[in-house]
Amino acid sequence: MLLKNKYKVFFTIIFIPLNYQFIYAHNVYTRGNFTPKEYAFFGALGIIILSFFLIVLISLNYQLRIAKEKLNESRQRFSDVTNAAEEVVWEIGKDSKFNYVSKKVEKVLGYSPIELMEISIYDILKGEDRDKFQNEMLKIAKSNGKFYKKRYRFIHKKNYEIWLQISGVVINDENNKYIGFRGVSSDITREYYQERKLYFLARSDALTGLMNRRFFIEQARKSFKKSKMEHEDFSFAMVDIDYFKNINDKYGHDVGDKVLKDLAVIMKGILKDDYLLGRLGGEEFAYAFPKTGVKSAKEIILNLQNKINEFTFKINDEKINITVSVGISYLNDESDELSTLSKGADIALYDVKNGGRNKIKIQKK
């Protein structure tokens, strides 16, 4: 309709002057001021001018048609690409409401594009991730930058949590002012939980779920250095199950494993604040007690021993009671590295093993 109106205006601009020219020439000729040749000349000139404008009009019409076809092709191409892509393509305005979402979103979030066009992105972000998203997007908008592989938790239409990885750019208007964002999102929920599982397995003991030896030593070393630098107390304890080999020999390794798992639960029960606990291997465990003097550490271990002595491990129809021996060392002027404390606690533990077991010894140096 708009194009037709433009044509009407165009023809009016052309024909009105030409019409007046012919009328003027006719009036002049009838009054005898023009000869027939001159009259014919002006008529031919008018036809030439009219033909020129018609050619221009036809050319413009052709160019408009070609441009419209290319625009439709471009739109179709964009639609095909966005619908075929694994990622969700989206655009949000300054008000954080969706201006565009590709059809893929229905597979990822359960909402249709039409449903999302009526809400804000904050309506589907989970809890604290709303503030995280808002703060990060404000920083990016101010810097007129882009963001890459940001991770946020969203709520599916069926009310369960999914993880999306988002990349995008800032949208600016003709005055280079921020008006929104556009980008792509992909569902990484499965990958995220696989990463978490691998993270846990790499740092945890497979049997007890405690820190494994490598990760425990790594974290205890960091804690030791921090305590030494800030002149705070730090204690280290090594715990070993008494006569554990007899349990494995008498009841089998499956029973031994059950005892280790149950013992780990008891040992975790005394953890608080920044305390660390790990399984070093076999029946040997270790604690790191930052901000804890040796007297307090001994009281904690005495409490642990009492809990273990009172606990009966039930294996099928069997009831098993165990005890533990403990060696403790602590941070002093001669402690340069965590390994110094570890060796000291190990020496103290060895002395307890040779001196009757089910006891605690503090290695002073």
Side-chain angles (χ1 to χ4, degrees):
M1 185 67 186
L2 181 61
L3 192 59
K4 290 180 179 179
N5 290 335
K6 289 181 178 179
Y7 288 162
K8 288 179 180 179
V9 173
F10 186 79
F11 277 113
T12 301
I13 293 172
I14 293 173
F15 284 122
I16 288 177
L18 288 175
N19 186 46
Y20 278 116
Q21 184 180 8
F22 279 114
I23 293 171
Y24 174 75
H26 175 72
N27 291 337
V28 172
Y29 174 73
T30 55
R31 290 198 298 268
N33 294 333
F34 273 155
T35 64
K37 288 183 179 181
E38 289 173 330
Y39 185 76
F41 169 77
F42 281 109
L45 180 61
I47 292 172
I48 291 171
I49 294 172
L50 177 61
S51 299
F52 171 77
F53 280 112
L54 286 173
I55 291 170
V56 171
L57 181 61
I58 292 170
S59 176
L60 288 174
N61 182 54
Y62 175 76
Q63 291 178 23
L64 286 171
R65 183 167 57 83
I66 295 299
K68 186 177 181 181
E69 289 176 356
K70 288 184 177 180
L71 179 61
N72 290 336
E73 288 178 4
S74 179
R75 287 175 176 171
Q76 186 61 47
R77 190 180 300 114
F78 176 78
S79 178
D80 291 343
V81 170
T82 55
N83 291 331
E86 288 297 320
E87 295 85 3
V88 176
V89 181
W90 52 267
E91 179 179 305
I92 58 174
K94 195 173 182 178
D95 59 359
S96 300
K97 289 187 176 181
F98 288 97
N99 295 330
Y100 172 82
V101 194
S102 62
K103 293 180 181 179
K104 199 74 175 182
V105 73
E106 195 159 3
K107 182 179 179 181
V108 176
L109 284 168
Y111 295 94
S112 69
I114 295 175
E115 289 176 308
L116 287 180
M117 297 291 277
E118 299 175 355
I119 63 175
S120 162
I121 193 170
Y122 293 108
D123 294 327
I124 54 175
L125 275 163
K126 182 174 181 180
E128 58 270 24
D129 279 16
R130 295 173 188 168
D131 292 334
K132 178 185 174 184
F133 179 86
Q134 183 179 40
N135 293 334
E136 291 182 343
M137 293 303 106
L138 284 174
K139 290 179 182 178
I140 294 167
K142 288 179 180 179
S143 64
N144 196 24
K146 57 185 178 180
F147 50 99
Y148 183 63
K149 290 187 176 181
K150 296 281 187 178
R151 292 182 170 189
Y152 302 100
R153 289 173 299 168
F154 285 78
I155 302 299
H156 192 276
K157 188 177 181 180
K158 293 182 179 179
N159 202 33
Y160 61 85
E161 177 183 297
I162 67 170
W163 281 85
L164 295 185
Q165 183 169 273
I166 300 177
S167 300
V169 296
V170 174
I171 308 173
N172 293 322
D173 61 14
E174 61 273 10
N175 297 317
N176 204 34
K177 291 185 178 180
Y178 158 73
I179 58 172
F181 291 98
R182 68 167 59 100
V184 295
S185 303
S186 55
D187 183 358
I188 58 163
T189 305
R190 182 179 296 179
E191 292 88 337
Y192 173 81
Y193 286 111
Q194 284 178 341
E195 287 176 10
R196 295 292 298 174
K197 183 178 180 180
L198 291 173
Y199 179 90
F200 178 80
L201 291 175
R203 292 160 175 77
S204 303
D205 173 61
L207 179 64
T208 63
L210 302 177
M211 292 183 187
N212 60 27
R213 182 186 186 92
R214 183 189 63 78
F215 189 56
F216 170 78
I217 295 299
E218 177 185 309
Q219 296 301 306
R221 187 178 289 119
K222 290 179 182 177
S223 183
F224 171 83
K225 288 181 178 179
K226 183 175 182 294
S227 297
K228 187 174 178 64
M229 183 176 65
E230 297 179 0
H231 305 287
E232 295 177 337
D233 289 329
F234 184 93
S235 299
F236 190 89
M238 295 186 71
V239 181
D240 191 271
I241 303 175
D242 297 329
Y243 304 110
F244 184 70
K245 184 177 182 299
N246 293 344
I247 295 174
N248 279 332
D249 291 344
K250 182 177 180 179
Y251 301 103
H253 288 279
D254 288 344
V255 172
D257 288 348
K258 181 69 166 57
V259 170
L260 289 171
K261 287 191 285 187
D262 289 346
L263 177 62
V265 173
I266 298 172
M267 295 184 74
K268 283 192 290 187
I270 67 167
L271 290 177
K272 65 176 183 178
D273 300 329
D274 299 326
Y275 293 175
L276 302 173
L277 169 63
R279 183 187 176 199
L280 302 184
E283 67 271 27
E284 192 171 62
F285 301 81
Y287 282 104
F289 300 115
K291 301 178 182 179
T292 305
V294 65
K295 290 183 179 180
S296 296
K298 184 177 180 180
E299 289 177 3
I300 293 169
I301 294 300
L302 276 171
N303 179 45
L304 173 67
Q305 279 190 321
N306 291 332
K307 288 179 180 294
I308 294 172
N309 291 340
E310 294 170 1
F311 187 83
T312 299
F313 296 83
K314 296 179 181 179
I315 313 295
N316 297 325
D317 296 331
E318 297 283 346
K319 294 181 179 180
I320 302 172
N321 291 95
I322 65 170
T323 59
V324 295
S325 297
V326 185
I328 302 176
S329 60
Y330 58 94
L331 178 61
N332 54 54
D333 295 337
E334 298 179 9
S335 308
D336 295 326
E337 299 289 342
L338 178 70
S339 58
T340 306
L341 297 189
S342 177
K343 289 177 183 177
D346 195 36
I347 292 170
L349 177 62
Y350 180 80
D351 291 343
V352 172
K353 287 286 189 181
N354 290 330
R357 305 180 189 245
N358 192 26
K359 295 180 180 178
I360 301 170
K361 181 175 180 182
I362 297 173
Q363 183 71 15
K364 296 182 179 180
K365 292 185 179 180

mmCIF file of all heavy atoms in Angstrom, residues 78 142 152 172 177 251 262 286 310 340 344:
data_model
loop_
_atom_site.group_PDB
_atom_site.id
_atom_site.type_symbol
_atom_site.label_atom_id
_atom_site.label_comp_id
_atom_site.label_asym_id
_atom_site.label_seq_id
_atom_site.Cartn_x
_atom_site.Cartn_y
_atom_site.Cartn_z
ATOM 1 N N PHE A 78 18.543 -16.583 7.748
ATOM 2 C CA PHE A 78 18.729 -16.390 9.185
ATOM 3 C C PHE A 78 17.840 -17.342 9.970
ATOM 4 O O PHE A 78 18.280 -17.971 10.939
ATOM 5 C CB PHE A 78 18.416 -14.943 9.560
ATOM 6 C CG PHE A 78 18.480 -14.671 11.028
ATOM 7 C CD1 PHE A 78 19.701 -14.512 11.673
ATOM 8 C CD2 PHE A 78 17.317 -14.580 11.786
ATOM 9 C CE1 PHE A 78 19.762 -14.268 13.032
ATOM 10 C CE2 PHE A 78 17.371 -14.335 13.152
ATOM 11 C CZ PHE A 78 18.605 -14.173 13.769
ATOM 12 N N LYS A 142 28.576 -1.174 30.208
ATOM 13 C CA LYS A 142 29.346 0.048 30.399
ATOM 14 C C LYS A 142 30.636 0.039 29.584
ATOM 15 O O LYS A 142 31.094 1.075 29.107
ATOM 16 C CB LYS A 142 29.672 0.226 31.881
ATOM 17 C CG LYS A 142 28.466 0.606 32.725
ATOM 18 C CD LYS A 142 28.846 0.739 34.189
ATOM 19 C CE LYS A 142 27.641 1.108 35.034
ATOM 20 N NZ LYS A 142 27.973 1.219 36.481
ATOM 21 N N TYR A 152 25.182 -19.797 33.799
ATOM 22 C CA TYR A 152 24.124 -19.407 34.722
ATOM 23 C C TYR A 152 23.113 -20.546 34.850
ATOM 24 O O TYR A 152 22.933 -21.337 33.933
ATOM 25 C CB TYR A 152 23.394 -18.152 34.223
ATOM 26 C CG TYR A 152 24.287 -16.963 34.009
ATOM 27 C CD1 TYR A 152 24.725 -16.631 32.730
ATOM 28 C CD2 TYR A 152 24.699 -16.171 35.080
ATOM 29 C CE1 TYR A 152 25.552 -15.539 32.518
ATOM 30 C CE2 TYR A 152 25.521 -15.072 34.873
ATOM 31 C CZ TYR A 152 25.945 -14.758 33.594
ATOM 32 O OH TYR A 152 26.758 -13.688 33.385
ATOM 33 N N ASN A 172 24.019 -1.537 20.341
ATOM 34 C CA ASN A 172 23.963 -0.080 20.464
ATOM 35 C C ASN A 172 23.082 0.512 19.367
ATOM 36 O O ASN A 172 22.936 -0.075 18.284
ATOM 37 C CB ASN A 172 25.362 0.523 20.352
ATOM 38 C CG ASN A 172 26.246 0.141 21.539
ATOM 39 O OD1 ASN A 172 25.766 0.085 22.667
ATOM 40 N ND2 ASN A 172 27.510 -0.126 21.284
ATOM 41 N N LYS A 177 24.530 4.218 21.876
ATOM 42 C CA LYS A 177 24.042 4.029 23.238
ATOM 43 C C LYS A 177 23.495 2.616 23.404
ATOM 44 O O LYS A 177 22.840 2.088 22.517
ATOM 45 C CB LYS A 177 22.966 5.060 23.573
ATOM 46 C CG LYS A 177 23.498 6.482 23.696
ATOM 47 C CD LYS A 177 22.408 7.441 24.155
ATOM 48 C CE LYS A 177 22.960 8.850 24.332
ATOM 49 N NZ LYS A 177 21.910 9.807 24.793
ATOM 50 N N TYR A 251 37.606 -61.079 58.732
ATOM 51 C CA TYR A 251 36.268 -60.872 58.158
ATOM 52 C C TYR A 251 36.275 -60.627 56.647
ATOM 53 O O TYR A 251 35.228 -60.667 56.007
ATOM 54 C CB TYR A 251 35.578 -59.681 58.837
ATOM 55 C CG TYR A 251 35.407 -59.856 60.332
ATOM 56 C CD1 TYR A 251 36.249 -59.189 61.212
ATOM 57 C CD2 TYR A 251 34.417 -60.682 60.848
ATOM 58 C CE1 TYR A 251 36.095 -59.333 62.589
ATOM 59 C CE2 TYR A 251 34.256 -60.835 62.216
ATOM 60 C CZ TYR A 251 35.102 -60.159 63.087
ATOM 61 O OH TYR A 251 34.941 -60.313 64.438
ATOM 62 N N ASP A 262 32.398 -46.352 57.753
ATOM 63 C CA ASP A 262 31.691 -45.929 58.970
ATOM 64 C C ASP A 262 32.582 -45.048 59.837
ATOM 65 O O ASP A 262 32.112 -44.070 60.445
ATOM 66 C CB ASP A 262 31.243 -47.159 59.774
ATOM 67 C CG ASP A 262 30.115 -47.918 59.089
ATOM 68 O OD1 ASP A 262 29.506 -47.356 58.148
ATOM 69 O OD2 ASP A 262 29.837 -49.068 59.478
ATOM 70 N N ALA A 286 44.398 -38.277 58.373
ATOM 71 C CA ALA A 286 45.097 -37.110 58.907
ATOM 72 C C ALA A 286 44.134 -35.930 59.040
ATOM 73 O O ALA A 286 43.207 -35.763 58.231
ATOM 74 C CB ALA A 286 46.267 -36.723 58.017
ATOM 75 N N GLU A 310 33.228 -45.965 71.862
ATOM 76 C CA GLU A 310 31.836 -46.253 72.227
ATOM 77 C C GLU A 310 31.012 -46.802 71.080
ATOM 78 O O GLU A 310 29.911 -47.333 71.296
ATOM 79 C CB GLU A 310 31.170 -44.962 72.748
ATOM 80 C CG GLU A 310 31.767 -44.460 74.056
ATOM 81 C CD GLU A 310 31.265 -43.065 74.409
ATOM 82 O OE1 GLU A 310 30.441 -42.526 73.618
ATOM 83 O OE2 GLU A 310 31.683 -42.525 75.439
ATOM 84 N N THR A 340 57.392 -30.968 57.836
ATOM 85 C CA THR A 340 58.002 -31.062 59.165
ATOM 86 C C THR A 340 56.977 -31.549 60.187
ATOM 87 O O THR A 340 57.267 -32.432 61.009
ATOM 88 C CB THR A 340 58.547 -29.687 59.597
ATOM 89 O OG1 THR A 340 59.428 -29.185 58.601
ATOM 90 C CG2 THR A 340 59.291 -29.796 60.923
ATOM 91 N N GLY A 344 56.728 -35.171 62.130
ATOM 92 C CA GLY A 344 56.627 -35.181 63.583
ATOM 93 C C GLY A 344 55.435 -35.982 64.056
ATOM 94 O O GLY A 344 55.534 -36.780 65.006
#
